[in-house]
Amino acid sequence: EIVLTQSPGTLSLSPGERVTLSCRASQTINNNFLSWYQQKPGQAPRLLIYDASNRATGIPDRFSAGGSGTGFALTISRLEPEDFAVYYCQQYGNSPYNFGQGTKLEIK
Amino acid sequence: EVQLVESGGGLVKPGGSLRLSCAASGFAFSGYSMNWVRQAPGKGLEWVSSINSRSTYIHYADSVRGRFTISRDNAQNSLYLQIYSLRVDDTAVYYCARRSGGGFSDYWGQGTLVTVSS
């Protein structure tokens, strides 16, 4: 079973800042099958990134991601007010398709 | 427009059973694998189960194996999750999601709340 560890747990930032979120896997993720999701209170998760580095349809280019093997990162180049949310990574290379525990971005 | 609409949640006593449904529209349901993902109140996302398009490959999280059964009816464009022997820690919003590509979830329903309490 692959365990995903996201860091940090919570980040307090201001609009306009740049942020990088980390997702580390306990084992190599096959084919870099890692995705990132954004979730706002009371809403379903939204797909941001798939296959480690590909933006989903309609996702602004201020979101970028990369990594391979066991280390992955999501970067938001310039935070907009609507970006304050919880972010999850998930691996889908091998069952069980675990999620990380999430990183919460809050407004400073 | 892709739509996924879950139903069947509610208040159930420990040990009870429930069947969740997910009605799909706006895409060729029979060609896609599907997921169930749950989220306990105030907690993170937990993958529960996946099923491929022909129901030949099914996977479960260890926490639900033996108590949950995923199934689908491609003629009815519907996904199901039969839940047995409900426990208090099964209390969560249950989401269905479409799997695409290698298995990422590109579309999600709004979820249905299951509350297990005596």
Side-chain angles (χ1 to χ4, degrees):
Chain A
E1 172 176 343
I2 297 176
V3 176
L4 299 180
T5 302
Q6 292 187 241
S7 60
T10 303
L11 271 173
S12 297
L13 296 164
S14 300
E17 290 195 79
R18 178 186 179 93
V19 62
T20 296
L21 312 182
S22 172
C23 176
R24 300 210 69 86
S26 60
Q27 304 170 37
T28 295
I29 295 176
N30 290 342
N31 304 115
N32 292 327
F33 278 170
L34 184 112
S35 52
W36 290 92
Y37 302 89
Q38 177 193 68
Q39 189 180 34
K40 297 179 182 179
Q43 295 185 16
R46 177 174 72 143
L47 175 69
L48 298 176
I49 300 288
Y50 64 94
D51 297 351
S53 61
N54 296 300
R55 268 191 305 274
T57 303
I59 301 304
D61 60 8
R62 65 179 181 273
F63 290 91
S64 63
S68 65
T70 61
F72 300 86
L74 172 71
T75 297
I76 309 173
S77 60
R78 186 176 172 85
L79 282 166
E80 297 288 341
E82 62 267 28
D83 299 336
F84 291 90
V86 181
Y87 293 82
Y88 296 94
C89 58
Q90 185 198 18
Q91 70 83 21
Y92 45 96
N94 284 99
S95 177
Y97 305 124
N98 290 333
F99 288 88
Q101 81 280 20
T103 291
K104 182 178 182 180
L105 286 187
E106 59 181 29
I107 298 179
K108 193 172 184 179
Chain B
E1 180 194 3
V2 173
Q3 282 199 316
L4 298 168
V5 180
E6 301 92 339
S7 61
L11 176 62
V12 186
K13 288 183 167 44
S17 299
L18 210 55
R19 189 197 199 202
L20 306 183
S21 300
C22 172
S25 60
F27 67 101
F29 178 75
S30 62
Y32 286 84
S33 298
M34 299 292 293
N35 279 333
W36 284 101
V37 174
R38 69 182 180 182
Q39 187 170 37
K43 303 296 185 184
L45 300 172
E46 180 187 14
W47 170 79
V48 171
S49 183
S50 295
I51 186 169
N52 72 335
S53 59
R54 297 188 176 188
S55 305
T56 52
Y57 292 100
I58 289 174
H59 299 274
Y60 296 101
D62 286 346
S63 58
V64 306
R65 187 175 292 111
R67 298 188 301 118
F68 288 22
T69 300
I70 191 172
S71 63
R72 64 190 295 160
D73 184 339
N74 287 341
Q76 298 293 322
N77 291 334
S78 294
L79 175 72
Y80 304 103
L81 188 68
Q82 179 71 52
I83 308 176
Y84 303 96
S85 304
L86 275 156
R87 309 188 303 218
V88 171
D89 63 358
D90 293 320
T91 294
V93 174
Y94 285 73
Y95 296 101
C96 68
R98 188 180 83 168
R99 284 170 63 91
S100 285
F104 55 89
S105 296
D106 59 349
Y107 287 93
W108 297 65
Q110 283 304 302
T112 186
L113 175 62
V114 174
T115 303
V116 185
S117 175
S118 54

